[in-house]
Every structure is written in C-alpha cells, then in structure tokens.
Amino acid sequence: MRFRFSLVFTALIIAFLWLPFASLCATALTSAFSHPAQLLEALPLRPLQRSLFFNSLMLSALCGAFSLLFGVPAGLALARGPGRARPLVSLLTALPLALPPTLMATAWLEITRTPPARSLASLAAEKPLPIAPVFIAAPILALCYFPIASLALAAALRALPLEIEEAARLFGSPRRALWRVYLPLLWPALAGAAGLCGALALWEMGAPDLLDARTYSVEIYRAHSAGGEANLAALRGLPMLALGAFLLWPTLGALRFYDKAGQGSARSETSGTIAGCAGLILTCALFLASPLAPVGVFVSQLRGGEWRVFPEVWRDNASELGNTIALSTLSAPLLTIIALGLVAAWKFWPPRWRLAALGLCALPILFPPITLGIALVEFFNRDVFALIYGGLPPSGLAWLDWLTENSARYSMMILGYGARFLPLAIVLLHEAARRVDDHLLEAAQNLGASPGRAARTILTPLLRPALLGVAMLLWALCAAELTVSVLVNQPGGQTLPVPIFNLMHIGMASQVAALSLTLFALTACAVAGLKFALNWKSK
Amino acid sequence: MKHKDTKTQRNLFLAALCLCVFVFQINGCARRANAPTQPIVKSNRVVLYCSVDDVYARPIIRALEQQTGLKIDVLYDTEAAKTAGLANRIRAEKNRPQGDIFWSSALLQTLLLNREGLLQPYVSPSAKDIPNSLKAKDGLWTGLGVRARVVVFHAGKDALDWRKSPTSLEKLVAPIYAPVGISNPQFGSASDWAAALTVRWGIPKTLNFFRTLKKNHARILPGNSVVAEKVARGELAWGVTDLDDYLAARAKGALGLNFLNPTPTNTVLTPGSVAILNRAPHFSNARKLVDALLRPETENQLAKIMAGVQPIRGPVLPMPGNQNIVPWPGLPGNRAGIPDDTAQWSAAWDSIREPLAEILLKD
C-alpha cells in the first residue's frame, strides 16, 4: 500500500513536470508535420535562426569559459588558501550568487554610461557588430555564475587523496604537475561546472534582453509577445533543448567524478599553498567586480538625498515586494518538502526504479525556462484549472471570493517556481540522501518501524542541513526569477524582478537602484542562510 | 491497531481533500454555466490590464483606489512586449476572462480587440466631452491622453549640420542619417505609427520605408525610451520615438535631443485608450473605475506625471523646460490638417503586419 502511495505520488510529480511541456511540444510537432515550413523555425537554416544559434552557442561557451577564469582562483583559495582566510573567501564567493543576472546587467549598463565607455559605444554604434552584445553579456553573466565553478573546483581539490598530491610533487615542476596530474583529475569537475554555467547563460532571458544580445530566450519571448503562436515558440525552443543537453552532459561526468572520489585527505595538510594565496588575492580583486561594483553603482544612483526614494519605491511597489517575500517563503519550503517526500520514498524502492524515477524528475532541468513558461500558460489556461489560473466569476460569498481570488493570484507563480526549480531540489536532496547509510533505515525497519516512520525519524534529521540549504537556495532562486514569472504572473501577483526589468527599459535610475538593492538584500539573506546550512553540515 | 488507525486517518484526510477540490471545481463550473452577464458582486475588486508605464500609472491607480474605494489588481506587461503582450493575453483568456478593463498607452491593439468582439460597450458619463474621433460611438473604447510621434537627433558637437537635416519623414531613410533607431513596430505605439503611415502613404511606400531603414542598418530597439536614450548619448544620430520618451531623456540632462518641426502629414498622434473587456467578471466595479479614469482631472494628472502626453480635453499643458517646441499640430485647438484616420488603422495593420515582421526578422 505504501509503495503504491509513493508510486502514485511520484507519478503525479512526474506528470506535473512533464505534461505541460510535453503537451506543447507534441502540439507543435504535430502542427509542424502538417505545415513543414514551420520546421524551419527549429533548424538553423535561415539567417535569423543561424544568428540565434550562433549567438546562443557563443554566449554559453564564453560564459562557461569566463566562469572558469573567474572561478578557478576562488576555488584554489577555498581549497588551498590559508586556513584562516577560508571563511572570508567562502563569503566572498557566495555573495555573487545573491545578485540576479538582471541586476548585474542593469549595473553594468549604468557603468557603460560613463564618458569613456560612452565614446567606445559610439564607435561601435557606427558599424554595429552582430556578436558584440554577446561578448559583453558573457562576462557579465559569468560574474554571477562563477561561484559554481569555484565551489566545484574546491570540492574536487578536497576530494583528491594525499598520495596523489605527494606524487605530483615528485614531478618537481609545478607546470608539469598541473598538466600531468591535476588537470586530468580535475577536468570532469571543471567541465561540469563550465557546462552548467553555460546552460544557465543559455536559459537566461532578462540580462541578454537588457544587453541587446539576441539569443533564443530573448527572441522567443519577444516573438511570442508580438502575437506569435505557442507552437512556434516551442519549435524555436527545440535547439535550446539540444544545446542545454550538450552543455549539461559534462555535469553528469562531474557527478560521477564526485561519486567515485573519496573524502580526500589533502585538505588540512596542504593549506596555505602559493596557488591558494594567489587565488585569495585574485578572489579579493574579483569581489570588487562582483558584487561590490554593481552594489556601488546602485548606491551611487542614490547619492545626494536620493535615499528618500526608498520609502516611495517600497510604497509604490508594496504589492510586488510582498508577493516576492510571500511567494518565495511559501514555495521554498513546499518544494523542499515535496522533494524530500520523493527522495525518502525512493530510498525504499529497488535501485532501477529509483534511477528511473530520478531520471524522469531530473530531465526537466533541460527544459528552456521561456518555453516552460509558455507551456504552463497554455496548459493551465483551461476551464478545469480555473481555480488555479483564474477567471472564475464572483460568487457573492466574501470568503469564497477571497479564496478563489488569492488562489488565482498566486497559484500559477507557485506552479511556475515548481516547474522550474523542483527538479533541481530533487537532484540536490537525492545527492545528500545517497550519503545516508541505507543500513540505518534497514535496521529501523527490522525493529518494526514503517518506512514512513524510518524516513521521518532517521533520514529527515540526518538531512536537516541539506534541507535548510536547499530551502534557502530555492528561496533566493524564486525571489530573483524573471523568465517564467513574466509569463505566468497573474493580476495582483507580480513579483519584484518584473518592475525592475520594466524600469530598466524606461531608465528610471534611482527607482531601479532602490529596487535592485532591496532585491539584493533579500537574496543575500537567503544566501547567508545557505552558507549557514553548509557550515552546519560540515560541522 | 494504532497502525490501522493511522492508516484510516490518512485515507480519510486524503478523501476529504479530494472532496474539497471536487466541490470547488463543481462550484466553479456551475458558477460559470449560470453566471449572469453582470453578476451580482459584493467584492470591491477590479482587475486592470495596464500597458501604460507602471511608474506613471501607479500614482494614478493609487489615487483612484482612494477615490472609488475599489481594490484594483493591476497586471502590467514588460516594456519589451508592451500592449501587444497584454492584448494577446486578453485574447488567450477570452473564454474565461480575468481582466475587467484594458488601459492601453496606444490605440491599435484596442481597435483590434474591438474588432474581435473582446470588448463590451459602456458609454461613460465622464466621456461626454471627448471628441467623437477619439472614442467609439457605442462606448466600446474611449481615448485617454494623446502623444505625438517625433523624430529626434543628437545635437552634440559631432552632430550633423542643421542644413542637412531631413525635410520630411520619408527622407530619413537616406544613408547619410544611418543608423536610425526605432522601437519595434510590432509593439506599442510604434505599431500605431506604422498603421497610420500605411493609411496615409499606402502599403508599398510604407513597407519600402521600413525595408530601406533596415537595409541601412536601422537599430530596432526594445522600447521608445531606449531609442531616446541612445540618441541622447550619441550612440545613434537619429531616432523615432514618442514625445514623452524624448522629454524624459531630455529631463535627465541629455541635452542632445531635439526634433523636427512636425507637419500634418507626418504627425501621428497616438491616443491612449480605455475599454471594458467582454464578460468582465466585475462589471459594475469596472464601470465605476472607467468613470473615474475618464474624468478630466485624471487625464490632467496623467498629463502632468507623463510629460509629453497631452489631455484630449482642456488647454495644452506647457512642456517642461523646452523652448524649442513649436505649438504642436493636432493638439486641442490646433487639429487642422491632421488626418482623422484611426478608424482605418486596424485594417491597415492587417495588411502590413506579416510583411513588416518579415522585414524586421531579416538580419
């Protein structure tokens, strides 16, 4: 009975994650077979599609490369830097995660309005290069995503056995040791991190739109908003699916690497190396670029008494601010609990079933967020989902109308967050749960505990740091999410990133600065919570 | 025994949950099936779909909430997709509308929605003194504020000699003025502009205009404000934008902007518009809000907040700190020569929409 219950629960979640997107893609492909000319939207044959493909590929590749460039020094500092400086490095590395890419792009656009940059822009404007915006967008996005590379490298270095490090020293030359020992061993982790950063850049819509980089996400959003059909949007998003799979393939290799690597014994013995100290210095320099420079830009917009814009902006955007906090606070624990429920249930499944369920729940990570947003709207905009999507006429009963209005206001946003971030939560918690010894649960069952009780009393307490960490991470991601929100938000349910995005296009500097700092403060608190959870786990 | 009790409790809980969801669905279906055209509403909620820039609309909406006692839930769209995005949403929700009122910063999308039967008539007493050319006879839509489409150029030290300025809009396509910046004609007031030009110039001349602009590397930018800013900063020499965006960029100290003396033929005045959506769930509240929105005081407040927007009724408001602007044809008291062709915009848009999209998509 319990197995059946967990099976049904898993099936429902998989259906939620797959049905909207699969339904849209199926409709799109069916339509494309009837009208073969539509297939051209998906293939990089026409000049526009070629340009989009090239721009998206370049943005992903460059972002991945820049993420490694920025992330490697920080990773070295984390793993091999002076022991006393590691908490500082850990903080400096974590803070950029709190800065959403849209805010980073906003800040750097303000920086480019300074006179020296302006003259360069004028020169570029005379003969605009089609890929120039991509070359600008890539390092800007990398400044947000490089902590992923640094954490991946730090974890990989810590996993190296001491014997390997000692053997590497026998080479005598650090360069030979690097090429012959470290790079081959660390390459999977680095490639996985670069691939993940590239995929995140590929899916990002807000920052490339602000920076005028024509990528798939931007073009799909603009075309769909101009009255394009959802089918065409889905077809245009298919290359993103392929590119995303290509970029995330190395991440599987990285996960296998971490799986095989042990705890490593090199951590404390090899701290304070030259590489680590150099990494520390570079990390401090990088901190100036992210997040100090963007925050400084926003603060500079508020000089000369403009600080009083804060209360005005909070009052004008009270609804969006409240929605951001409420929706993130509601969604993060909810998604964490759902992920925990799945992971706990799978602990008692046969290994093949577990792997299949994990695969089906994790694959939706590949779905492009812009297409996912369109798919959710198409799927839930039906009579049977009126309670969720909205459109129910008032009943005249105050309490019922209140319930249906609030349900319509918030449900689609929660579903959007779920569709976007639940696969990530499942993967992260599954990785954490794998490290819990199955024998503990077996022993509990042998003593008469039900699987549910064993999961509740043994697995959940052991996963507490991971649960807190995942919840905090989801909170930050939900608060800063733009791509899906801009499509699924309902009247009265908009969140903060949307007015920031709008104001940036209009050019309201002090209002943008105030709202950006507010959003950064919110996400920074969540990232601080994540750091606390990670420290708790390590203790 | 305890084990069975827990199991029973869990099953009962699940059954109760399913029953609640089922009841809500049935309730919803029943209410939809039996809903009168104007349901009896006790709620003070009204849903406004607003494509006016939220920074300008918010203070007005806040004031209207206080005046009317209504709770106004607003849905704004992003700057990149303005008006067209919201209009498409209204189309997508036509079988089960969530919105009550569509307040647009332009007119074309309202006309298209009207043609598709997605608006419902309401003749507001506040709209009595609005000219007939700026409202529908049966009250399906009503104009609110009007702004002009302007040509701007950078007047910095590296600007073109005045004598080489284009003498008409058509001459803007000359390579000497390239690259010109325009906002995407598929969205917002730019699509109104394209439709108006089609009515006045004809389809071939209009498409040729945009084709030549694109051939001369015109920058298709995501918004009128972006056009104004890029011209102000000198990244572009020339641009076509809205008067309010020009004034906003000028107000920030970007002194490089200016515009040509307008002529009746090339002047396109874009009115904003207000309309009640068909089958609006809160119709009586919607009427109340429309009455409040269309009051002259509200229009004047909009014109004061959004410099460049002129009230349809009442005196011309002075432009902030700009002595170069001549009395603009088409403003109240000075409409002589401006073609009154808004009724033809929707048909004109139908004929150029797809060819224009093709032209813009080419790299």
Side-chain angles (χ1 to χ4, degrees):
Chain A
M1 181 64 181
R2 284 184 196 87
F3 176 72
R4 257 183 272 158
F5 178 76
S6 66
L7 199 61
V8 167
F9 182 50
T10 304
L12 281 173
I13 298 299
I14 290 172
F16 162 67
L17 291 174
W18 278 89
L19 264 179
F21 187 80
S23 157
L24 179 64
C25 287
T27 314
L29 289 170
T30 310
S31 170
F33 285 127
S34 315
H35 305 94
Q38 289 182 357
L39 277 173
L40 291 174
E41 298 289 337
L43 301 169
L45 294 175
R46 294 198 288 199
L48 172 68
Q49 274 69 25
R50 269 205 304 272
S51 165
L52 292 178
F53 183 81
F54 179 70
N55 284 347
S56 302
L57 186 63
M58 284 299 293
L59 181 69
S60 314
L62 287 173
C63 183
F66 276 113
S67 299
L68 285 182
L69 187 67
F70 300 149
V72 162
L76 283 173
L78 270 176
R80 295 286 184 268
R84 284 186 194 172
R86 282 189 197 163
L88 172 68
V89 174
S90 179
L91 178 69
L92 296 183
T93 316
L95 276 175
L97 285 174
L99 199 62
T102 316
L103 298 194
M104 184 70 81
T106 304
W108 281 93
L109 278 175
E110 286 298 321
I111 290 171
T112 56
R113 283 178 187 148
T114 55
R118 205 186 299 168
S119 58
L120 282 174
S122 298
L123 284 172
E126 282 174 20
K127 285 187 184 172
L129 299 171
I131 58 170
V134 171
F135 279 106
I136 297 167
I140 290 173
L141 287 173
L143 285 172
C144 298
Y145 300 141
F146 80 86
I148 297 172
S150 57
L151 289 171
L153 177 62
L157 280 171
R158 285 196 201 112
L160 285 180
L162 185 61
E163 305 80 55
I164 300 280
E165 300 259 0
E166 286 174 357
R169 282 192 206 111
L170 292 175
F171 276 102
S173 155
R175 203 174 357 158
R176 284 186 78 189
L178 175 70
W179 283 110
R180 293 287 198 85
V181 179
Y182 289 110
L183 263 182
L185 285 173
L186 299 173
W187 176 245
L190 291 173
L196 181 56
C197 295
L200 290 171
L202 174 71
W203 295 328
E204 178 61 30
M205 189 271 288
D209 182 75
L210 285 173
L211 298 168
D212 211 20
R214 283 179 87 181
T215 60
Y216 276 119
S217 290
V218 174
E219 205 59 35
I220 289 170
Y221 174 68
R222 289 185 188 172
H224 182 67
S225 298
E229 291 175 20
N231 293 342
L232 289 177
L235 287 171
R236 286 189 191 116
L238 286 178
M240 281 177 73
L241 204 59
L243 272 176
F246 171 71
L247 289 165
L248 285 179
W249 186 254
T251 312
L252 284 179
L255 288 175
R256 274 198 294 269
F257 165 80
Y258 290 119
D259 212 18
K260 284 181 191 163
Q263 184 58 33
S265 46
R267 187 160 48 168
S268 54
E269 288 81 359
T270 56
S271 65
T273 60
I274 295 172
C277 294
L280 174 63
I281 295 167
L282 287 170
T283 304
C284 293
L286 198 60
F287 176 71
L288 295 175
S290 172
L292 201 61
V295 171
V297 164
F298 294 138
V299 169
S300 70
Q301 298 289 335
L302 301 170
R303 63 180 180 275
E306 290 265 19
W307 290 95
R308 63 177 175 271
V309 77
F310 268 105
E312 287 171 22
V313 153
W314 287 342
R315 188 190 60 224
D316 288 344
N317 296 275
S319 170
E320 284 80 4
L321 190 54
N323 290 340
T324 303
I325 295 171
L327 284 168
S328 303
T329 308
L330 195 58
S331 305
L334 179 65
L335 296 178
T336 308
I337 289 168
I338 292 173
L340 174 66
L342 286 171
V343 162
W346 295 345
K347 270 290 197 185
F348 303 97
W349 283 19
R352 282 189 185 172
W353 285 64
R354 196 186 305 170
L355 199 61
L358 176 66
L360 285 172
C361 287
L363 273 174
I365 288 176
L366 293 176
F367 296 165
I370 188 73
T371 319
L372 189 59
I374 295 169
L376 285 170
V377 170
E378 291 291 307
F379 187 79
F380 285 101
N381 186 13
R382 294 166 208 259
D383 285 344
V384 71
F385 295 121
L387 188 64
I388 296 171
Y389 191 86
L392 284 175
S395 65
L397 292 173
W399 66 271
L400 191 57
D401 287 341
W402 181 87
L403 200 62
T404 53
E405 282 164 16
N406 281 292
S407 170
R409 206 176 271 141
Y410 299 123
S411 298
M412 282 303 293
M413 288 293 287
I414 295 173
L415 289 176
Y417 291 154
R420 180 112 200 250
F421 301 127
L422 184 59
L424 174 67
I426 291 170
V427 167
L428 291 174
L429 278 181
H430 182 264
E431 282 303 302
R434 261 181 354 104
R435 281 148 175 73
V436 172
D437 193 348
D438 286 344
H439 294 120
L440 292 172
L441 299 170
E442 280 173 22
Q445 282 190 285
N446 289 338
L447 289 171
S450 65
R453 194 166 178 198
R456 208 170 53 244
T457 54
I458 295 173
L459 184 64
T460 306
L462 288 172
L463 288 180
R464 231 177 258 157
L467 289 171
L468 180 63
V470 166
M472 289 291 109
L473 177 64
L474 290 180
W475 201 101
L477 290 172
C478 291
E481 208 288 322
L482 174 68
T483 312
V484 173
S485 306
V486 85
L487 291 162
V488 305
N489 69 89
Q490 301 295 310
Q494 274 187 337
T495 51
L496 215 48
V498 178
I500 293 175
F501 187 54
N502 272 341
L503 286 172
M504 187 53 219
H505 278 114
I506 298 168
M508 297 283 160
S510 54
Q511 285 96 328
V512 170
L515 283 176
S516 301
L517 285 171
T518 306
L519 184 59
F520 177 63
L522 290 175
T523 50
C525 290
V527 169
L530 173 63
K531 285 302 303 170
F532 171 74
L534 288 174
N535 288 343
W536 183 11
K537 181 185 173 188
S538 63
K539 280 176 191 161
Chain B
M1 199 54 149
K2 195 176 173 182
H3 189 59
K4 276 191 181 168
D5 286 342
T6 311
K7 195 170 149 185
T8 310
Q9 281 174 7
R10 188 187 65 204
N11 290 342
L12 279 173
F13 171 72
L14 284 173
L17 190 63
C18 292
L19 188 65
C20 284
V21 171
F22 180 67
V23 164
F24 271 121
Q25 287 298 330
I26 292 291
N27 183 32
C29 293
R31 276 155 51 189
R32 265 196 313 285
N34 298 325
T37 313
Q38 279 81 39
I40 299 165
V41 174
K42 292 184 183 169
S43 159
N44 66 343
R45 186 183 186 226
V46 66
V47 177
L48 173 66
Y49 284 9
C50 178
S51 77
V52 175
D53 292 341
D54 53 359
V55 67
Y56 303 124
R58 276 177 207 274
I60 294 174
I61 290 168
R62 213 169 41 241
L64 289 173
E65 279 186 321
Q66 285 168 2
Q67 285 168 30
T68 59
L70 293 169
K71 168 78 180 75
I72 305 174
D73 274 343
V74 191
L75 183 67
Y76 300 101
D77 205 345
T78 57
E79 177 68 13
K82 257 315 153 48
T83 310
L86 273 180
N88 287 329
R89 186 161 179 147
I90 291 168
R91 290 183 183 98
E93 293 174 358
K94 66 181 176 194
N95 294 328
R96 200 181 52 256
Q98 284 195 77
D100 298 302
I101 296 171
F102 180 40
W103 178 15
S104 171
S105 55
L107 181 60
L108 178 66
Q109 290 296 333
T110 309
L111 295 174
L112 294 173
L113 289 174
N114 181 24
R115 197 178 60 181
E116 293 162 31
L118 297 177
L119 307 180
Q120 64 174 306
Y122 171 62
V123 180
S124 169
S126 305
K128 273 189 308 211
D129 49 349
I130 290 180
N132 289 335
S133 59
L134 288 171
K135 65 184 179 188
K137 267 184 250 177
D138 40 14
L140 281 162
W141 61 270
T142 312
L144 180 65
V146 65
R147 51 190 174 152
R149 200 89 179 132
V150 296
V151 175
V152 296
F153 65 89
H154 181 60
K157 59 180 180 188
D158 52 348
L160 271 180
D161 186 354
W162 268 98
R163 284 164 292 184
K164 292 181 184 168
S165 301
T167 52
S168 67
L169 185 62
E170 296 97 305
K171 299 232 167 36
L172 197 61
V173 302
I176 189 175
Y177 308 117
V180 173
I182 60 171
S183 63
N184 195 326
Q186 294 173 288
F187 302 105
S189 56
S191 54
D192 292 51
W193 175 57
L197 290 179
T198 306
V199 172
R200 295 171 198 184
W201 291 350
I203 299 168
K205 187 176 174 184
T206 307
L207 290 176
N208 199 41
F209 173 73
F210 285 105
R211 198 176 288 119
T212 315
L213 275 180
K214 197 76 182 17
K215 197 172 137 194
N216 291 336
H217 308 293
R219 299 279 302 277
I220 312 296
L221 298 168
N224 291 309
S225 55
V226 181
V227 172
E229 288 218 17
K230 285 194 183 285
V231 175
R233 291 203 301 270
E235 288 179 37
L236 294 167
W238 292 86
V240 183
T241 184
D242 287 335
L243 184 59
D244 57 300
D245 295 294
Y246 154 66
L247 289 170
R250 226 186 120 95
K252 282 190 283 192
L255 298 173
L257 288 180
N258 209 323
F259 61 96
L260 298 173
N261 285 340
T263 66
T265 319
N266 70 28
T267 301
V268 174
L269 294 182
T270 310
S273 55
V274 173
I276 298 183
L277 302 180
N278 196 18
R279 295 167 60 201
H282 311 92
F283 181 68
S284 59
N285 292 344
R287 286 189 305 183
K288 208 169 158 185
L289 181 58
V290 166
D291 291 342
L293 256 174
L294 292 177
R295 277 189 217 136
E297 302 81 44
T298 310
E299 195 178 33
N300 286 339
Q301 187 187 2
L302 177 66
K304 278 191 186 126
I305 293 173
M306 204 168 165
V309 169
Q310 287 288 336
I312 293 172
R313 306 159 279 199
V316 173
L317 293 181
M319 299 291 169
N322 190 330
Q323 282 139 19
N324 288 336
I325 298 182
V326 298
W328 197 263
L331 294 175
N334 191 17
R335 291 188 183 280
I338 299 291
D340 183 13
D341 51 13
T342 55
Q344 301 165 61
W345 285 5
S346 49
W349 180 248
D350 285 340
S351 48
I352 64 159
R353 186 184 159 203
E354 284 189 16
L356 188 59
E358 278 289 326
I359 292 169
L360 296 174
L361 281 176
K362 275 189 189 151
D363 247 350

